[in-house]
Amino acid sequence: MAREIPLDPALLDRFAAVEPESHPLAEQIADLVEALPEMDRAVVECLIWGRMTKVETAAMLGVSRSYVHKIWRRAIAKLRQEDLWDAD
């Protein structure tokens, strides 16, 4: 049975840190994040757009801080594989 991730969309202003027009890759990055598995996406959204700490993220998702760290590293590695920074 799939576990529902208890995220309140009001906490996550998707472009609070980076406005789409201020960074040429913002939309591509958002699309890549959307394609991540649900838990990975939840962690990235909490840490980046929600500006939460790993401890806050862990509490919200009901997992340990070390698990959040593991998911964060996995998600970032997957996003880096896309090699957006070399795209022109």
Side-chain angles (χ1 to χ4, degrees):
M1 179 155 92
R3 185 171 153 205
E4 187 172 325
I5 309 290
L7 284 182
D8 179 359
L11 294 175
L12 303 173
D13 182 4
R14 298 215 62 212
F15 292 103
V18 178
E19 291 297 325
E21 54 277 347
S22 70
H23 194 287
L25 301 176
E27 287 295 326
Q28 288 176 282
I29 292 168
D31 289 344
L32 289 172
V33 170
E34 285 294 321
L36 291 171
E38 184 179 12
M39 182 61 87
D40 294 23
R41 182 176 61 248
V43 167
V44 171
E45 288 179 345
C46 285
L47 293 174
I48 299 298
W49 288 294
R51 296 182 182 168
M52 300 168 87
T53 67
K54 289 180 183 172
V55 172
E56 292 168 333
T57 299
M60 174 176 253
L61 299 178
V63 298
S64 70
R65 189 217 47 88
S66 62
Y67 189 55
V68 167
H69 181 74
K70 178 181 177 180
I71 293 169
W72 171 250
R73 292 184 53 106
R74 178 179 65 206
I76 293 304
K78 187 167 186 167
L79 293 173
R80 283 185 178 147
Q81 288 175 355
E82 296 300 323
D83 207 23
L84 287 177
W85 290 267
D86 291 337
D88 288 320

